[in-house]
């Protein structure tokens, strides 16, 4: 079987040989490849992977319930692998993943305490008796909260 038909193993070998990533990154990418990319793209030749297929893969992962952050992490790995196939190995002329956008992260609005809620929180968490054994720990957190 040619190296071109094994794109995921090719990326791993490339990364190990060129030492472009740390060991922990390589371990993380190896997990992504085994769990997500190889099952989806593993039977395809490197040159047969298209931007449309990658975009459908993103939609598929979203429908499987993966978060935008997780899908983004998977895409980073795939983009790196395909970039290496273009730049280092010259198996491809373009990176089909290059312009596939990461899913947008849902930014949740922060819910802050109101001044009255802060006063109530501090009152309820005021240190107990200064002569108590755990007063120092209680006071340390009270001081932290009251200055935040």
């Amino acid at each position: 079987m040619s190296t071109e038909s094994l794109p995921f193993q090719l990326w791993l070998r490339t990364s190990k040989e060129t030492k472009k990533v740390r060991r922990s990154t390589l371990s993380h990418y190896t997990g992504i490849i085994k769990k997500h990319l190889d099952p989806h793209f593993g039977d395809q030749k490197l040159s047969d992977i298209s931007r449309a297929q990658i975009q459908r893969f993103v939609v598929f992962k979203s429908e499987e319930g993966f978060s935008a952050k997780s899908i983004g992490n998977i895409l980073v790995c795939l983009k790196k692998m395909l970039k290496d196939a273009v730049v280092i190995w010259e198996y491809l002329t373009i990176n089909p993943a290059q312009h596939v956008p990461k899913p947008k992260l849902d930014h949740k609005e922060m819910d802050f305490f109101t001044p009255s809620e802060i006063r109530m929180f501090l009152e309820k968490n005021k240190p107990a008796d200064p002569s108590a054994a755990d007063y120092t720990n209680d006071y340390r957190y009270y001081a932290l909260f009251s200055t935040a």
Side-chain angles (χ1 to χ4, degrees):
M1 190 178 278
S2 72
T3 309
E4 189 174 292
S5 66
L6 298 170
F8 305 107
Q9 290 80 1
L10 167 67
W11 182 87
L12 285 174
R13 192 177 84 209
T14 303
S15 295
K16 287 176 185 175
E17 289 175 2
T18 59
K19 298 185 189 302
K20 285 188 168 193
V21 294
R22 291 181 293 178
R23 185 179 308 167
S24 61
T25 302
L26 185 61
S27 175
H28 177 69
Y29 283 179
T30 301
I32 287 173
I33 289 165
K34 286 180 181 175
K35 186 173 182 181
H36 302 285
L37 299 177
D38 200 23
H40 196 85
F41 297 107
D43 295 335
Q44 295 182 2
K45 289 184 178 180
L46 191 60
S47 59
D48 291 343
I49 298 173
S50 70
R51 183 176 297 134
Q53 286 176 311
I54 296 168
Q55 190 60 52
R56 284 193 299 272
F57 170 73
V58 168
V59 170
F60 174 73
K61 286 296 175 183
S62 180
E63 289 171 350
E64 278 189 327
F66 287 92
S67 69
K69 173 90 169 104
S70 294
I71 296 168
N73 291 341
I74 295 167
L75 269 179
V76 165
C77 179
L78 181 61
K79 287 180 179 187
K80 166 74 171 121
M81 182 194 73
L82 293 172
K83 180 181 175 185
D84 286 353
V86 172
V87 176
I88 296 172
W89 291 95
E90 298 178 351
Y91 281 131
L92 298 174
T93 55
I94 62 163
N95 178 351
Q98 183 175 1
H99 297 292
V100 174
K102 288 183 185 178
K104 299 236 185 259
L105 295 174
D106 292 332
H107 293 286
K108 295 181 181 176
E109 188 69 28
M110 296 283 295
D111 187 20
F112 298 100
F113 282 165
T114 64
S116 63
E117 290 172 328
I118 292 170
R119 283 190 293 280
M120 184 185 333
F121 175 82
L122 291 174
E123 188 60 37
K124 297 280 184 190
N125 290 287
K126 190 177 269 188
D129 180 16
S131 63
D134 61 350
Y135 177 76
T136 304
N137 284 334
D138 287 347
Y139 184 75
R140 178 179 52 186
Y141 292 120
Y142 179 77
L144 175 69
F145 290 131
S146 65
T147 59

